[in-house]
Amino acid sequence: MIYTDTRDSSVKVNFRTAVLNGMNAATGGLYIPVEFPKLDKSFTDRNTDPSFRDVAFEMAKPYVKDEIPDNDLEAIISDCYPFTSQVVPIDPTTYVLELFHGPTCAFKDFGARFMARTMSYFNRGEKDNLHILVATSGDTGSAVGSAFHNVPGIDVTILYPDGKISPLQEKQLSTFTGNVRALKVKGTFDDCQALVKKAFVDKDLREKFRLSSANSINISRLLPQAFYYMYSSIVVKNRIPRDSQIKDPAIIAVCPSGNFGNLTSGLIAKEMGAPITGFVAATNANRTVPDWIATGEYNARPSIATLSNAMDVGAPSNYERIKALYTLEEVRSMFASYWTDDQGTIEGIKKCHEKTGYIIDPHGAVAWKAWNDIRGGEMEKLVKGEKGDYSKPGLTANIPAWADKVVSKEAAAIILETAHPAKFGATVVNAIGREPSMPERLEKVMSLPDNAIPMEKDYDSFKSWLVANL
């Protein structure tokens, strides 16, 4: 498979180069495959549910062809996924895709573990360490730290915004030792991401160190996240006739969206043949992409702190990939876009629990509220010509190609539940009056000492620290 660059289509590199470089230092562009191979329809149309590992292997194989032999790829996937995603029906047309069954209780375990093992595979025989720089607005850092901890030949530096993530999330980041360390930056996630991006295009640093990324700017993070879209959509396709008697349903993936890497992974799965009809990009008050879809104007902006902090991104990196792959009209055809504020997030947690008994985290709650509003009449209003104010919480006034399926009650949703609700216990208690159960693996981390290093948000301070400590 050949990979090109979102900013220069003449660039042609292999998977190893795309993974180890993270992004193209010469242009600042992000790597994307030149094509998306389709899985055989006998696989996607099967009447029995596949295993998650089978899906992962079949999807990964064409992207690593001639670089990772099948036997090695099978071993990597087996090591990556001693856990799986779980599809949980909460009403006849709504399925929660639980992505928190990995070691750090967040969806990013799926991408980070695959990335860590492929990087380690490609790094064999290198004399110098590979240095991973990663910015996080919540769960990325802990998933990356866990995936790379004690991996030979690789060092990891995690940047997170001081005071802008949940206490449990910070514990998961600040307690690493050995080859993984965390910097708590006096700024926002966008400041952290800007420091990482600037480091990647700094020729002086590139000459001193081998640098790579573990954010969703790295293609090896995006590809494995497509696995669970494929897996869950096949499972749901097989279940819907039994659960709701809908013969030919539109399957809508509703994705809590911040940096838009997770949603981009869904697009990859759809391109490869996943039975997904469309998507809902569900965001918080950091509504850069919904505003773009509404107006056609993309305006990055400083991020705003919210209860769904992993989505607090004002300049989402993967907008660049989406724009490189699709026209705005194609995006409007595939996507509904929706945003809500903190009050709406609390309401989402509360109403989801009241209606279904399911305890959902603040990020999943944004997605659930989006779906509940869409099927509850908001999409029908759009179809009838009632267009609201995109600057206020709610559904953006574009009508996707699948809108009529929602109006005619022939649609079902997969809600991506991206983190365990226990990671946001105070918010959940505020919404429903009770704490969610705490997984043992989260309880253990709370007793560990903090090792995070304070860092200013200016690049000179960050660069000086890297030179002195890498």
Side-chain angles (χ1 to χ4, degrees):
M1 175 68 72
I2 300 299
Y3 296 80
T4 188
D5 177 346
T6 53
R7 299 185 185 181
D8 182 356
S9 60
S10 69
V11 171
K12 300 289 186 289
V13 302
N14 62 10
F15 185 64
R16 181 183 188 278
T17 300
V19 170
L20 294 183
N21 286 350
M23 61 187 291
N24 188 346
T27 67
L30 308 184
Y31 291 114
I32 52 175
V34 295
E35 61 178 333
F36 294 101
K38 295 276 189 183
L39 291 190
D40 193 282
K41 285 187 69 66
S42 63
F43 189 88
T44 57
D45 291 347
R46 61 197 297 173
N47 294 322
T48 57
D49 296 344
S51 77
F52 183 83
R53 288 183 185 178
D54 285 347
V55 169
F57 177 74
E58 292 299 328
M59 291 185 75
K61 189 161 56 172
Y63 293 102
V64 303
K65 186 179 179 181
D66 300 325
E67 297 184 73
I68 303 179
D70 286 356
N71 288 343
D72 291 341
L73 180 60
E74 286 181 333
I76 287 171
I77 287 170
S78 179
D79 190 34
C80 283
Y81 304 121
F83 57 92
T84 187
S85 58
Q86 296 187 16
V87 178
V88 179
I90 60 172
D91 69 42
T93 59
T94 307
Y95 301 83
V96 172
L97 177 58
E98 291 184 344
L99 299 171
F100 53 67
H101 294 285
T104 70
C105 297
F107 80 98
K108 295 176 182 180
D109 287 324
F110 287 89
R113 290 174 67 85
F114 183 85
M115 176 179 56
R117 281 145 186 81
T118 54
M119 281 187 172
S120 178
Y121 183 87
F122 288 137
N123 201 50
R124 296 175 303 176
E126 294 286 349
K127 294 180 180 179
D128 299 324
N129 279 6
L130 181 66
H131 297 280
I132 307 297
L133 304 180
V134 57
T136 183
S137 57
D139 293 319
T140 294
S142 56
V144 168
S146 171
F148 281 100
H149 195 226
N150 294 328
V151 173
I154 299 180
D155 287 325
V156 179
T157 301
I158 303 165
L159 290 75
Y160 70 91
D162 190 10
K164 294 180 173 62
I165 63 176
S166 77
L168 198 154
Q169 284 177 315
E170 181 162 20
K171 267 291 188 181
Q172 286 189 292
L173 293 169
S174 66
T175 53
F176 284 113
T177 58
N179 67 323
V180 179
R181 80 283 297 172
L183 306 181
K184 51 182 179 182
V185 176
K186 295 179 181 177
T188 66
F189 167 75
D190 294 319
D191 294 321
C192 298
Q193 185 161 255
L195 291 176
V196 170
K197 285 186 172 181
K198 193 167 183 178
F200 282 130
V201 297
D202 186 322
K203 292 182 180 179
D204 181 45
L205 274 183
R206 285 281 188 176
E207 289 175 358
K208 288 182 172 68
F209 308 110
R210 296 173 60 228
L211 299 178
S212 188
S213 167
N215 282 84
S216 56
I217 60 177
N218 194 305
I219 193 66
S220 66
R221 263 278 310 279
L222 283 186
L223 290 175
Q225 290 173 185
F227 302 162
Y228 51 70
Y229 279 94
M230 181 70 74
Y231 171 77
S232 63
S233 60
I234 293 173
V235 171
V236 168
K237 176 182 68 68
N238 290 337
R239 282 204 56 145
I240 288 175
R242 302 193 303 271
D243 292 340
S244 61
Q245 286 75 54
I246 301 174
K247 293 182 179 179
D248 183 26
I251 298 176
I252 311 303
V254 190
C255 182
S257 302
N259 216 17
F260 278 77
N262 201 3
L263 200 150
T264 305
S265 298
L267 294 172
I268 293 171
K270 179 175 169 57
E271 291 286 351
M272 295 187 71
I276 296 172
T277 306
F279 300 87
V280 179
T283 67
N284 58 27
N286 295 280
R287 60 180 205 266
T288 304
V289 169
D291 283 3
W292 167 60
I293 292 174
T295 68
E297 298 290 330
Y298 178 81
N299 294 305
R301 63 199 71 173
S303 59
I304 301 167
T306 75
L307 295 176
S308 51
N309 62 276
M311 294 151 58
D312 292 350
V313 184
S317 288
N318 284 284
Y319 159 78
E320 185 165 330
R321 280 195 174 103
I322 294 172
K323 188 173 182 293
L325 293 169
Y326 304 100
T327 66
L328 178 57
E329 288 311 307
E330 287 172 331
V331 169
R332 285 172 169 165
S333 178
M334 286 189 293
F335 288 15
S337 65
Y338 178 100
W339 75 274
T340 192
D341 54 18
D342 280 351
Q343 181 179 345
T345 302
I346 292 291
E347 181 185 334
I349 299 171
K350 182 179 180 180
K351 293 296 185 183
C352 180
H353 187 249
E354 286 177 355
K355 289 189 172 186
T356 71
Y358 191 86
I359 299 177
I360 202 162
D361 94 296
H363 306 80
V366 171
W368 184 86
K369 189 174 189 304
W371 169 242
N372 203 49
D373 285 356
I374 286 169
R375 66 175 173 173
E378 293 305 307
M379 185 62 76
E380 186 172 6
K381 288 180 182 178
L382 283 186
V383 171
K384 290 180 176 179
E386 298 179 36
K387 296 182 179 181
D389 183 351
Y390 73 88
S391 68
K392 295 180 180 178
L395 190 61
T396 298
N398 71 281
I399 301 174
W402 44 267
D404 287 343
K405 283 282 196 176
V406 172
V407 175
S408 62
K409 308 298 183 185
E410 296 177 283
I414 300 172
I415 306 293
L416 275 71
E417 171 66 327
T418 53
H420 196 287
K423 301 182 86 167
F424 309 92
T427 300
V428 173
V429 169
N430 185 23
I432 66 172
R434 55 170 287 199
E435 290 189 3
S437 59
M438 177 78 74
E440 184 180 356
R441 57 195 183 281
L442 292 183
E443 285 183 344
K444 288 181 179 179
V445 78
M446 295 302 291
S447 62
L448 298 175
D450 293 334
N451 300 308
I453 301 162
M455 178 62 58
E456 298 296 328
K457 64 179 182 180
D458 67 285
Y459 182 70
D460 288 342
S461 297
F462 176 55
K463 180 177 178 178
S464 296
W465 186 89
L466 291 177
V467 172
N469 290 276
L470 292 190

